Each structure stands twice: as C-alpha cells, then as structure tokens.
Amino acid sequence: LEGGFRGHIRVDHVSTTRIDHMSHVFQAGDQIQALVISKGPGKNGAFSLATKPLEAKPGDMLANPAAVYERATDMAARWVYREAKNRAPVGSVVWVTVSGVQPFGVFGVLSTFP
C-alpha cells in the first residue's frame, strides 16, 4: 500500500441496480471515485466506501459510470446533508484503485486522502 489507505466497497453499496458479481462492474487496476461512508477502528482502519449514493438515477453506476464520477462531488454533498454527517473524511469523495474483486465486494486503495 504505497502512499494509500485501504478501503472496501460492498456489493450492495455499488448501485441501486442488483449486481450478480463485482467483476461485471470493476476490474483490478480500475481508477474509480467512491464516497467514504465510514472508517474502521484504529490508526490503520480500512474505509467503508460506496458508489451507490453518487448515482443521480438508479442504475447509473452500471449504465454510465463516467456520469456518476462527473457528478460525484455534488451527489456526495447531498448524501452528507441527508445523513447529517459532515465529519471528515466521511462524506469525502476519493479516488480508489481497485486491488481485488470478489463476488461479495471489491477491495481498493485510496490514492487521495482529504
């Protein structure tokens, strides 16, 4: 993990549209944007990430991920407001490099940290 922090996106946090397997959406090495929704305990706790809150319309993450990333900051601000959580880094949009893909979720390295 050179220069990054660990993060994880659960399959149910990717899109409002059902996903059969994470490899249908992500591949190792992909650069994606994701919303930090929580941080694990401890100094090196992994981040829980999501792309679903960044969708303007249900299924956008599958149909048009580029549009999701384009609107990521605005959608994240709406999520923070709805969730009434404005503590950094939760609610921050970060770049993530997918490091592994499993049926239940993907693992990644946060390459930017707010």
Side-chain angles (χ1 to χ4, degrees), residues 9-68:
I9 304 175
R10 289 183 5 198
V11 68
D12 60 330
H13 287 166
V14 173
S15 178
T16 53
T17 300
R18 186 178 188 282
I19 299 169
D20 293 325
H21 194 283
M22 293 295 277
S23 65
H24 297 159
V25 184
F26 302 113
Q27 300 299 317
D30 285 354
Q31 292 282 317
I32 65 171
Q33 283 188 296
L35 179 70
V36 175
I37 57 175
S38 69
K39 181 186 177 300
K43 182 179 177 182
N44 296 322
F47 291 88
S48 292
L49 307 168
T51 55
K52 181 167 44 176
L54 303 178
E55 293 182 317
K57 295 182 298 190
D60 272 356
M61 192 60 207
L62 304 178
N64 192 356
V68 172

Side-chain angles (χ1 to χ4, degrees), residues 1-7 44-46 97 99 107-110:
L1 287 188
E2 298 174 31
F5 298 89
R6 288 206 179 270
N44 296 322
T97 301
S99 60
F107 295 90
V109 177
L110 284 69

